[in-house]
Amino acid sequence: MEIFALIGWLRIRILCAAVAIAMPSFAGAQSRQTENTSGEAAIVQTTGGKVAGFIRNGVLEFRGIPFGASVAGNNRWEMPKPAEPWDDVLPAMHFKEACAQAARYGLTERSDNEDCLYLNVSLPQSGKKAAAKKRPVIVWIHGGAFVGGSSSFYRLDDLAKKAEAVVVTMNYRLGVFGFMPHPAFGAERNGGYALEDQRLAMRWVKQNIAAFGGDPDNITLAGESAGAASVCMHLISPEETAGLFHKAIVQSGACVFRLRNVEERKSFGEAVAREVGCSDPATALQCLRSKDPQTLIAAGEAASAGDLMAFVPPYGTKTLPLSGLEAIDSGRFVKVPVLNGGTRDELRLYLAYDVQAGRSYTAENYDAILKASYGEHAAEVKKQYPLSASPSFPAELGSMMTDFRPDIGINHCLYLETARLMSRHVPVYQWEFADRETPVLGVGMPALPDPGFELGAAHSSELNAFFPNFSNTTAISAPDLSPRSEKMAEQMLATWASFIHTGRPAAKGVPAWKPYGKGATAIRFEPGNIRVFDPSSDHKCAFWKSLYPDHFAKN
């Protein structure tokens, strides 16, 4: 096998060398790269060195470009450093391995890799006339609850072609390596090293994207779930990120979710350290650096005790100075247009995970469920949401919790509070993905066992509209969308493309989309029925605000 691997490597080196001789580098001039539409590779000069991209599915793709040095060993829990420059042409043909993580939900794969700061660039393959103008840029941050995921889960060709844009994805440190604070770590960046990885990639894009035909003055920062929350973190850190992006897309993440202070969260890092025998403050850092990745990941899982928000970055550092609610309410965020929203039935996915793990959600234990999630307000919630005893009870419960839950940043009323506060300063376009026909089993969660209730438009179900066959795995093997779902997905993607180009979402067949305000100003994307609606009324946000005023702004 080693001989065959060597032969394959040599073939790529020979190909790249041949292309380098045959083609001029087009650093900054996208029209030159389109001269290679019938060949196998194109060369781009970056600040680190030359990279060779390859044509796939009608787009030119560069996979596995290093933007940061290894974050293993003594670079654990340190600021990321730019990748070392290289001399030869780097064949950017394959995705690199994901950052260190455990296998999750019977879907994602384990990784022990800490040399993982790589990014990918995809751009349309088109004629010289079309390529003469710089294309807008989309920088996508993957999700994964801050503990998993990879840039290799996403097919970028469809988005690049249909949005006529340059699309960039990146890897970043996860879990205990990227989002865990500890007293032994540097105070200025404690608990925010993954955000710094993302910012290093964003600076790389700003410096290099013109070489790929992208417009460094028209960059949209986008993400879903933990990726959306990361976009929020960059929005509320203007001293660190202003000028690195010009629009933002937030998919299923509430920017005003109540973050925890770094001083409060250091105890979490200390709990992880105790789990692995590194409790001595004098030696904790070196001791933690000596442990293998999976030992630390398992310790982080044990210390988190099932808290989905355990690895949400803490505030109170230079990386993240303020909490989201404080920053946005006071107007201290990057002032750019925002496309903001989520899926209609977000939390049905997490209830389905629980059912697959053996937990029961029934009308008989409804009172106990409400007490666990809403404490002293359980009776008021039950009165407002008198759910039936039908087999659809878990589905109804998941949608109810999607309206609001105080302990998780995936809920509609906090999405809308984000929109309300941001819209005082910038245009915010609010949306909701409501395709209850889109596949979830075997896509957002394992196909078996079937949880036995309708999953609806669950968390992450919108991703197939932008990244075909997204399956939360490197296989990218989800089934194609139905014709009805595909038609709606095309319209949704067209509005995203319009926003990416102009800052205003619009598309044929989609009602005129006004910036967020009182009443019916949001768009609900439902197959055959894309319409304007009033999300605050639909999700009973006045009721939830009356119960939990501290989670919302006072004015």
Side-chain angles (χ1 to χ4, degrees):
M1 290 297 293
E2 293 178 356
I3 293 174
F4 287 114
L6 177 60
I7 291 171
W9 168 250
L10 289 173
R11 283 176 177 168
I12 293 172
R13 291 290 299 274
I14 292 167
L15 171 63
C16 290
V19 173
I21 293 169
M23 288 184 59
S25 171
F26 60 93
Q30 185 178 345
S31 60
R32 295 185 190 173
Q33 53 114 348
T34 59
E35 294 172 4
N36 196 41
T37 54
S38 61
E40 293 188 37
I43 308 298
V44 173
Q45 178 71 55
T46 73
T47 51
K50 293 179 180 180
V51 292
F54 297 81
I55 294 169
R56 289 183 178 89
N57 299 322
V59 302
L60 183 58
E61 294 196 325
F62 299 79
R63 296 179 175 180
I65 301 174
F67 71 88
S70 172
V71 285
N74 286 334
N75 285 337
R76 273 187 188 171
W77 302 297
E78 293 288 347
M79 283 286 285
K81 303 175 180 66
E84 288 291 326
W86 55 93
D87 295 325
D88 297 335
V89 177
L90 181 70
M93 194 173 191
H94 301 292
F95 289 125
K96 297 295 185 181
E97 189 179 356
C99 288
Q101 59 189 280
R104 296 186 308 131
Y105 301 130
L107 280 175
T108 59
E109 300 168 345
R110 161 181 167 165
S111 173
D112 297 327
N113 178 39
E114 293 182 81
D115 183 9
C116 61
L117 300 187
Y118 292 84
L119 55 77
N120 317 292
V121 182
S122 292
L123 54 144
Q125 178 192 2
S126 60
K128 294 180 184 179
K129 184 176 180 180
K133 185 179 179 181
K134 290 180 180 177
R135 293 184 171 99
V137 180
I138 309 163
V139 177
W140 178 262
I141 304 176
H142 72 75
F146 305 100
V147 297
S150 171
S151 62
S152 61
F153 291 176
Y154 303 85
R155 260 187 62 190
L156 306 184
D157 55 281
D158 204 55
L159 183 57
K161 285 186 287 190
K162 291 176 180 175
E164 187 59 34
V166 180
V167 186
V168 182
T169 58
M170 91 279 281
N171 287 343
Y172 54 91
R173 279 175 280 186
L174 301 165
V176 292
F177 305 104
F179 296 107
M180 178 185 76
H182 187 280
F185 302 165
E188 287 192 339
R189 310 293 175 178
N190 203 349
Y193 294 112
L195 295 177
E196 297 298 345
D197 295 343
Q198 294 169 9
R199 290 171 187 175
L200 181 63
M202 290 158 63
R203 289 191 290 273
W204 186 98
V205 170
K206 187 74 173 177
Q207 294 166 357
N208 289 282
I209 208 64
F212 298 86
D215 186 350
D217 296 317
N218 189 3
I219 297 171
T220 298
L221 187 64
E224 183 267 346
S225 194
S230 296
V231 173
C232 292
M233 309 303 170
H234 301 309
L235 278 165
I236 64 175
S237 306
E239 299 85 359
E240 300 288 305
T241 62
L244 293 179
F245 59 98
H246 312 91
K247 291 178 285 293
I249 299 176
V250 181
Q251 297 185 197
S252 300
C255 293
V256 297
F257 178 69
R258 293 178 67 183
L259 303 175
R260 301 162 192 175
N261 188 283
V262 68
E263 293 303 320
E264 302 168 22
R265 294 301 292 159
K266 284 179 181 177
S267 60
F268 175 70
E270 291 175 310
V272 173
R274 283 195 299 272
E275 285 277 338
V276 297
C278 296
S279 55
D280 182 355
T283 60
L285 182 57
Q286 285 307 314
C287 180
L288 286 166
R289 285 174 173 166
S290 73
K291 302 300 179 181
D292 71 87
Q294 292 303 321
T295 296
L296 290 165
I297 291 167
E301 184 176 352
S304 67
D307 179 5
L308 286 172
M309 301 287 104
F311 288 100
V312 173
Y315 76 95
T317 65
K318 188 172 182 179
T319 294
L320 195 59
L322 301 175
S323 72
L325 183 58
E326 181 184 3
I328 294 172
D329 187 30
S330 62
R332 285 176 281 184
F333 64 95
V334 180
K335 305 297 197 305
V336 296
V338 178
L339 196 56
N340 183 61
T343 69
R344 185 175 183 176
D345 309 302
E346 298 269 20
L347 294 186
R348 289 191 191 182
L349 180 69
Y350 293 97
L351 266 63
Y353 285 148
D354 285 350
V355 171
Q356 285 189 325
R359 185 172 178 183
S360 176
Y361 289 99
T362 67
E364 286 71 30
N365 63 5
Y366 187 28
D367 289 346
I369 294 167
L370 291 180
K371 186 69 175 176
S373 296
Y374 300 103
E376 63 181 353
H377 299 300
E380 295 164 278
V381 174
K382 186 176 182 179
K383 185 178 180 180
Q384 187 71 217
Y385 291 86
L387 303 187
S388 69
S390 71
S392 66
F393 174 81
E396 294 177 21
L397 178 64
S399 293
M400 181 211 83
M401 289 183 167
T402 301
D403 284 354
F404 180 80
R405 255 184 67 169
D407 59 341
I408 189 168
I410 302 172
N411 69 77
H412 286 296
C413 290
L414 290 188
Y415 299 163
L416 296 171
E417 183 70 349
T418 299
R420 184 179 76 86
L421 297 177
M422 282 188 169
S423 65
R424 296 170 175 173
H425 306 276
V426 299
V428 179
Y429 298 92
Q430 193 69 22
W431 56 274
E432 183 175 296
F433 179 84
D435 183 0
R436 286 177 164 167
E437 302 169 17
T438 196
V440 177
L441 276 178
V443 180
M445 61 185 302
L448 295 172
D450 189 329
F453 63 89
E454 183 187 356
L455 297 171
H459 186 65
S460 78
S461 60
E462 90 284 9
L463 289 177
N464 267 300
F466 309 103
F467 307 103
N469 309 113
F470 175 82
S471 60
N472 267 298
T473 68
T474 55
I476 312 181
S477 57
D480 292 337
L481 298 175
S482 70
R484 275 169 49 86
S485 294
E486 180 64 31
K487 181 179 179 181
M488 191 208 74
E490 294 279 349
Q491 291 171 298
M492 192 171 177
L493 194 154
T495 62
W496 263 236
S498 171
F499 178 80
I500 289 159
H501 280 262
T502 69
R504 297 181 301 277
K508 184 178 180 181
V510 177
W513 197 339
K514 297 178 181 178
Y516 181 76
K518 291 182 179 179
T521 56
I523 298 289
R524 174 172 276 166
F525 288 92
E526 187 174 355
N529 190 22
I530 300 174
R531 63 191 185 279
V532 179
F533 80 115
D534 180 354
S536 184
S537 174
D538 264 32
H539 300 299
K540 306 186 181 192
C541 293
F543 164 73
W544 290 110
K545 186 172 183 178
S546 72
L547 295 189
Y548 292 93
D550 290 347
H551 291 254
F552 300 81
K554 293 181 180 179
N555 298 311

